[in-house]
Amino acid sequence: MIPDDDPARSLTVANPDDPATTFVSLVGNTYAMLITGAQTGGRYCLIDMRVPDGGGPPPHRHDFEEMFTILEGEIEFTFRGEKHLVKAGSTISIPANAPHHFRNTSGAPARMLCMCTPAGQEEYFTEIGTIVASWDAPPPQLSPDELADQRRRAGELAGTYRSEFL
């Protein structure tokens, strides 16, 4: 039996150019929080990621599903130690708990959508990154102490957000 409609939930139209969009700078990448867990009852989140050449997170794993659709450029994903070059127009799905990371090795900027289910990754990024005004805002120039503090917080909060650095 399908449950009744929940009128407390509304239609969400995600537009990265909307002034209400939250942009987060994290390790040189800029992420736009398009759809949050607060909007989906915690079911999923959708993040628009702009990744400069050389950008990407360190090896990690987490207890949730993650899917990426490459919109522009190409990204090298390492999944369980094996590298996969994923080009614009392709989608890659990372199963929960699997070790992985990605790196933009293309020599040009890349852009991708990331969906996580259940939601929560958008909250983690917002908590450890730096809120910036827009896509065009330069990444903050963090001092070595500030960068060390950001890494420390990322490690300390990883478990809270069901993640682990490898």
Side-chain angles (χ1 to χ4, degrees):
M1 175 67 73
I2 297 174
D4 289 339
D5 180 25
D6 180 357
R9 294 189 60 205
S10 62
L11 176 75
T12 300
V13 177
N15 180 344
D17 296 326
D18 184 326
T21 301
T22 299
F23 295 91
V24 176
S25 178
L26 187 60
V27 295
N29 306 324
T30 303
Y31 299 156
M33 306 306 151
L34 295 182
I35 299 177
T36 67
Q39 295 166 303
T40 66
R43 289 171 177 83
Y44 66 92
C45 66
L46 183 65
I47 304 166
D48 192 337
M49 301 177 152
R50 295 200 180 176
V51 183
D53 184 45
H60 63 280
R61 65 189 201 110
H62 32 67
D63 184 24
F64 53 84
E65 302 288 314
E66 195 170 33
M67 183 174 63
F68 299 89
T69 298
I70 312 304
L71 301 175
E72 299 170 8
E74 57 189 49
I75 299 284
E76 181 183 88
F77 283 84
T78 302
F79 176 75
R80 296 182 182 144
E82 187 177 328
K83 294 183 182 196
H84 304 267
L85 186 61
V86 184
K87 297 182 179 189
S90 296
T91 298
I92 186 168
S93 179
I94 308 287
N97 307 312
H100 66 282
H101 68 281
F102 63 82
R103 182 87 40 225
N104 180 351
T105 59
S106 70
R111 180 176 171 215
M112 59 186 173
L113 291 177
C114 172
M115 178 188 283
C116 300
T117 182
Q121 189 72 343
E122 80 285 12
E123 294 174 13
Y124 181 52
F125 289 158
T126 302
E127 192 157 348
I128 63 173
T130 303
I131 303 295
V132 294
S134 69
W135 287 125
D136 301 325
Q141 298 301 310
L142 301 178
S143 71
D145 287 344
E146 291 169 322
L147 188 56
D149 183 58
Q150 188 177 62
R151 286 185 180 138
R152 179 192 56 74
R153 284 186 300 124
E156 287 176 355
L157 292 170
T160 301
Y161 290 97
R162 304 167 56 192
S163 297
E164 172 183 58
F165 292 104
L166 305 173

